Amino acid sequence: MPDYLNVIAGEPVAAQSGREFANRNPATGAVLHTFPNSDASDIAAAVAAARGAQREWARTPAPQRGEILYRAAESMRRRKEELALDLVEEMGKVLPEARGDVQEGIDMTYFMAAEGRRLVGQTVPAESRMKFAMSVRAPIGVVGAITPWNFPFAIPTWKLMPALIAGNSVVFKPSEFAPKTAWNVVQILIDAGLPPGVLNLVAGEGAEPGAALVEHPDIDLISFTGSNAVGTQVSVRCAEVGKQVSLEMGGKNAIIILPDADLDLALQGVLWSAYGTSGQRCTAASRVITQRSMAQEFGERLVEAAQGLRLGPGTDLGTDIGPIINPRQLEKIAGYMEIGAGEGATLATGGRVATVAGHEEGYWFEPTVFVDAAPGMRIAQEEIFGPVTAVIPVDDLEAAIEVANNVPYGLSTSVYTTNVNAAFRAMEELRTGLVYINAGTTGAEIQLPFGGTRGTGNGHREAGTAALDTYTEWKTIYVDFSGQLQRAQID
């Protein structure tokens, strides 16, 4: 029997096949826990439970739904350190970042709990006499949520909390590399009073459980965060079967540094954005765009600072960069070193798989800086998802904006400048969902929409009240109390 089980209809359940998989610590390679290795039959059971519970959950007054979320947020707040330590152990990010990951989930849960008192619709004047016109939000039905490993607490709350407050039920398939944190989130909600079947957890390795969720006819919406390649497949299949889909995919984010910028501040922003979470963020700054007059100076400062960063386990408070999530990702990052050098970029520091004393079985990669990179190089176009950034020289602000925009993704961009005119021009012309001025490319707050353009997503947004648009449908209602037939525009 696995150490942890699926949660279906409020009950702990093993995989019907009896299979299980191991959850490993990326800093040591050691097995932490075992989980059910679920397949399509387990997904089907979870969907049936969710479908059975959804109608009564939707009938539950939204303020009462909000009270459950509020109790869950209170529990998360009390258990924050415990939850962060679990996250560090299975995912590897350093403890201060793990606390931030959990705090973001706490913030989102409180925020969506309060939406139970709002769920704002519209009332507008009707064209006819003695007629009332309004619109309200209605739940979509059963949501399939597929989440990644890099923000294993925060990202599930971005999906689960708006879906639940709106009256949907959910089947939740987390990443196989962070199942314990997902289990923690689900158990907290159940302990807070969520009725059986409203939220179901199905763990599993590989593509089968996620694909089964996409294929199941009783899933009304798929909410997916992950790679562009997989997200595109999900989008195509959902279109074929007529299923709604919300996609949050990759990024190839840039920090633009202008000559008038505070370079010390800009350097701090690049270090945090490029190497935080070992570069394993969709908002990571894997491009630094500078004007040619300052590219060499800033590149040298960045190299020196990167060389001072310390690799190590996330629980060591002296650690700056934790492990890479798994050997496959480590191999992918290493492969880009040869690609970058072959394209003509200069590998200024890093570029190697590393070893950490006492943690030789962990998955480590040195903080890496390429300089003299060109905008069209693969290292400047493709998402590497590791502690790697490339310095790209350009002539001026206009060229910097063009280079920043000329990638397949459109998630986050940052500009460092003290020139207010340059800042506003950049805010207007950068084609990304997030724009930062004098801050790095990461650090979004939950009260505003999160998401991107082009290959980053399909137009939906997570967080803020905009998230409710994903998990609700508009229902327009007309109440005619005139006692006679009124034919709108005809009369």
Side-chain angles (χ1 to χ4, degrees), residues 145-149 152 155-156 159 172-176 182 223-226:
I146 303 173
T147 62
W149 46 263
I155 291 178
K159 300 179 185 300
F172 174 26
K173 163 57 179 76
S175 168
E176 66 211 69
S223 180
F224 170 88
T225 297

Side-chain angles (χ1 to χ4, degrees), residues 301-463:
R301 294 183 63 175
L302 177 57
V303 166
E304 181 181 2
Q307 290 171 343
L309 297 175
R310 181 185 171 194
L311 293 170
T315 49
D316 185 340
L317 295 183
T319 294
D320 298 302
I321 300 180
I324 303 304
I325 188 64
N326 57 45
R328 185 178 63 205
Q329 183 62 21
L330 189 65
E331 183 179 354
K332 175 189 173 184
I333 296 166
Y336 272 100
M337 302 304 101
E338 185 175 341
I339 290 169
E343 291 177 318
T346 301
L347 180 59
T349 191
R352 295 174 298 183
V353 174
T355 301
V356 172
H359 296 82
E360 288 81 4
E361 301 303 315
Y363 319 128
W364 312 98
F365 201 85
E366 295 176 336
T368 299
V369 179
F370 281 100
V371 296
D372 301 321
M377 292 179 177
R378 288 180 61 188
I379 60 168
Q381 289 286 317
E382 299 175 9
E383 187 176 40
I384 299 172
F385 226 62
V388 181
T389 197
V391 179
I392 305 172
V394 296
D395 291 329
D396 51 28
L397 174 60
E398 182 176 358
I401 292 172
E402 182 178 351
V403 169
N405 286 336
N406 192 24
V407 291
Y409 303 98
L411 182 53
S412 182
T413 313
S414 161
V415 179
Y416 279 87
T417 181
T418 55
N419 184 323
V420 66
N421 293 340
F424 271 87
R425 180 178 174 190
M427 285 188 282
E428 183 175 88
E429 296 186 12
L430 288 167
R431 295 190 293 115
T432 51
L434 304 169
V435 175
Y436 295 86
I437 304 299
N438 294 325
T441 54
T442 189
E445 300 181 21
I446 59 89
Q447 66 269 31
L448 286 171
F450 179 93
T453 63
R454 292 168 282 154
T456 292
N458 64 335
H460 291 277
R461 291 292 185 268
E462 298 189 293

